[in-house]
Amino acid sequence: MLTTIQRRIARDIFVTFFLSLFVITMLVMFVGVAREAINQGLGPVGVLRLIPFSLPNALSLAVPGTALFSVCTVYGRMSADNEFVAMQSVGISLLPSIIPAVLLTAILSITTVGLINVAFTWGFHGVQRVILSSVEKIAYNKLQRDHYFQHDSFSMSVRAVSGRDLVQPQIKIDRPGAEPIRISASTAQLSYQADDESLQLSIANSRVDVGGVASLVFPETFVHTIPLGMDAQVDLLVAHPSHMAMRDLPTASQRQSDDICRRENGIAVHTAFSILSSKIDAIANSESAQRLSEINRSRIRLHRLGTEMHRRWASGFTCLAMSLIGIPLAIRMKASDTMTTFGVVFLPTVLIYYPIFALTLDMAKNGRLVPQGVWIANLVFVFASILMMRRLVYQPA
């Protein structure tokens, strides 16, 4: 059961946090997301459809900084008013007054983990669907403004745009493992097909070149369909780890490990058969090099899958780590100016926490560090905060 002082501190942190979070989130959504979407030609209706899917990501980014701002505001004001000095003068320790902030930021950290998971999965795919449904309008606006448009492996440049007609388009379609397709035409039109989430390209009087190998002429209208949609069934062996639900990560890791074992067994069988049949050259040919390259890519993806779960939890608990640093620094500064306190406290976070987190995350993804290594930045901040709080309690300023 919280004491009267603890309840007051918790209430002040709670009110400050949600007021600040509302303001910051609105700024991020309407100044950042909405402005960029309108500049890309999405339109007001598209922006409104985009906001719900962008909200989890905006909240997950805003919560850690807002929590730090809240604890700096509350504890900095209390220290400036000598409330902590009064508590210590009557024999009350500072530690109980820190408990509300620790509990609230721990709850916020767990909530942030959930927001990150939602933003990386539901939010990401929702944004993709909104953009795909507006790709025709985006393409025409960009072609009219820049005379160039690109989406994944498809790129197009035009001389001019007249209504729906694209004048003298030059089209390039890249194909993995094959020569690119280049198309030049007198006119073309784009239309989005919602039933199969594809972009239909109608080309009149066109010439098609396939990597200099073949050349075809189509004097009449030629229709080419460009698939844009995402597969409804997520393949755990090829899906990007960052856009997978946390519940699917363990299964994906197991399937990736099984796939690596299967590939290694295949190489072992191929090598043994080559030795038995005295075909030594077959051991180190281009096909064998390709198999080794595929195994290396599979191993890197396995490292990414193993790191992704720890990455999301460590990113969420940035909220707690930052707040634990902010509490003793705000008390020690004794400044009633909230922005000054927040600026001074936020500086070590920018200069220390995020570089360490980015470095350990990159090393863990490449297999040079165990996946749990992404927690190093959090542990450094927690350890530093314990030392500062201990000094604050036993050696008060």
Side-chain angles (χ1 to χ4, degrees):
M1 189 67 181
L2 297 178
T3 63
T4 302
I5 295 177
Q6 290 173 331
R7 287 197 299 270
R8 196 201 72 178
I9 294 174
R11 182 198 61 196
D12 292 346
I13 295 175
F14 185 86
V15 172
T16 305
F17 171 79
F18 279 100
L19 288 176
S20 304
L21 183 65
F22 177 79
V23 173
I24 293 175
T25 304
M26 291 301 101
L27 288 175
V28 171
M29 293 299 299
F30 292 104
V31 177
V33 176
R35 181 180 178 182
E36 181 63 23
I38 292 175
N39 289 339
Q40 293 297 326
L42 205 56
V45 177
V47 171
L48 292 176
R49 293 176 56 202
L50 193 66
I51 286 177
F53 300 109
S54 302
L55 187 59
N57 188 49
L59 287 173
S60 65
L61 295 175
V63 166
T66 308
L68 177 61
F69 176 79
S70 301
V71 297
C72 287
T73 300
V74 174
Y75 286 94
R77 178 188 55 77
M78 292 179 66
S79 181
D81 294 340
N82 293 319
E83 294 186 31
F84 293 119
V85 175
M87 291 170 55
Q88 289 177 314
S89 66
V90 295
I92 301 177
S93 175
L94 293 180
L95 291 179
S97 64
I98 298 173
I99 292 177
V102 175
L103 292 177
L104 286 175
T105 52
I107 295 172
L108 289 174
S109 296
I110 297 174
T111 304
T112 305
V113 174
L115 287 171
I116 292 173
N117 187 52
V118 172
F120 284 7
T121 53
W122 177 79
F124 173 80
H125 295 298
V127 169
Q128 290 293 99
R129 286 192 295 270
V130 172
I131 293 176
L132 287 179
S133 64
S134 306
V135 68
E136 179 183 338
K137 184 176 181 180
I138 294 174
Y140 270 99
N141 288 340
K142 190 166 180 61
L143 286 170
Q144 192 167 21
R145 184 179 67 246
D146 304 331
H147 302 284
Y148 182 79
F149 173 76
Q150 182 175 3
H151 179 82
D152 292 337
S153 60
F154 172 82
S155 60
M156 172 190 288
S157 61
V158 297
R159 182 177 179 182
V161 178
S162 177
R164 289 189 54 81
D165 291 333
L166 307 174
V167 182
Q168 295 184 5
Q170 300 291 326
I171 304 163
K172 180 182 178 183
I173 303 174
D174 293 321
R175 300 182 298 167
E179 294 291 336
I181 299 175
R182 300 179 185 273
I183 304 173
S184 58
S186 58
T187 60
Q189 288 186 357
L190 290 172
S191 61
Y192 176 71
Q193 306 298 315
D195 52 350
D196 58 354
E197 292 187 335
S198 63
L199 191 64
Q200 192 174 83
L201 180 63
S202 301
I203 311 169
N205 191 18
S206 61
R207 179 186 179 89
V208 181
D209 293 316
V210 185
V213 178
S215 180
L216 304 173
V217 176
F218 297 91
E220 299 181 354
T221 301
F222 169 72
V223 179
H224 177 71
T225 300
I226 305 168
L228 302 175
M230 299 169 290
D231 293 334
Q233 298 294 331
V234 177
D235 189 348
L236 297 182
L237 277 177
V238 297
H240 198 290
S242 295
H243 304 143
M244 295 173 61
M246 292 174 66
R247 65 176 180 274
D248 294 332
L249 290 174
T251 305
S253 297
Q254 183 60 49
R255 291 190 183 181
Q256 192 69 59
S257 298
D258 295 341
D259 181 69
I260 293 173
C261 290
R262 180 184 60 81
R263 294 178 185 274
E264 290 176 341
N265 292 335
I267 290 179
V269 171
H270 174 74
T271 303
F273 182 78
S274 300
I275 294 175
L276 289 174
S277 58
S278 300
K279 297 179 180 179
I280 306 301
D281 294 339
I283 298 177
N285 57 14
S286 58
E287 183 180 351
S288 299
Q290 178 67 22
R291 290 178 178 177
L292 290 174
S293 176
E294 291 175 353
I295 287 181
N296 289 332
R297 287 197 295 268
S298 296
R299 287 172 178 165
I300 291 176
R301 186 172 185 274
L302 181 61
H303 292 312
R304 290 177 178 267
L305 287 168
T307 303
E308 186 62 28
M309 182 74 75
H310 293 281
R311 171 199 176 189
R312 297 186 190 182
W313 279 97
S315 297
F317 274 82
T318 301
C319 181
L320 178 61
M322 293 170 62
S323 298
L324 289 177
I325 284 288
I327 293 170
L329 288 178
I331 295 174
R332 180 69 67 176
M333 287 183 63
K334 293 185 177 181
S336 58
D337 186 353
T338 301
M339 296 309 299
T340 300
T341 305
F342 175 72
V344 172
V345 174
F346 191 70
L347 186 62
T349 302
V350 175
L351 298 180
I352 300 175
Y353 182 89
Y354 285 112
I356 295 176
F357 182 79
L359 177 62
T360 54
L361 178 61
D362 184 66
M363 293 176 65
K365 285 183 176 180
N366 295 329
R368 293 178 291 166
L369 186 69
V370 294
Q372 293 81 0
V374 297
W375 288 93
I376 290 177
N378 296 65
L379 295 177
V380 168
F381 267 48
V382 170
F383 180 72
S385 67
I386 292 174
L387 293 180
M388 288 190 292
M389 289 180 185
R390 185 178 183 278
R391 184 176 180 181
L392 196 64
V393 171
Y394 294 104
Q395 299 177 15

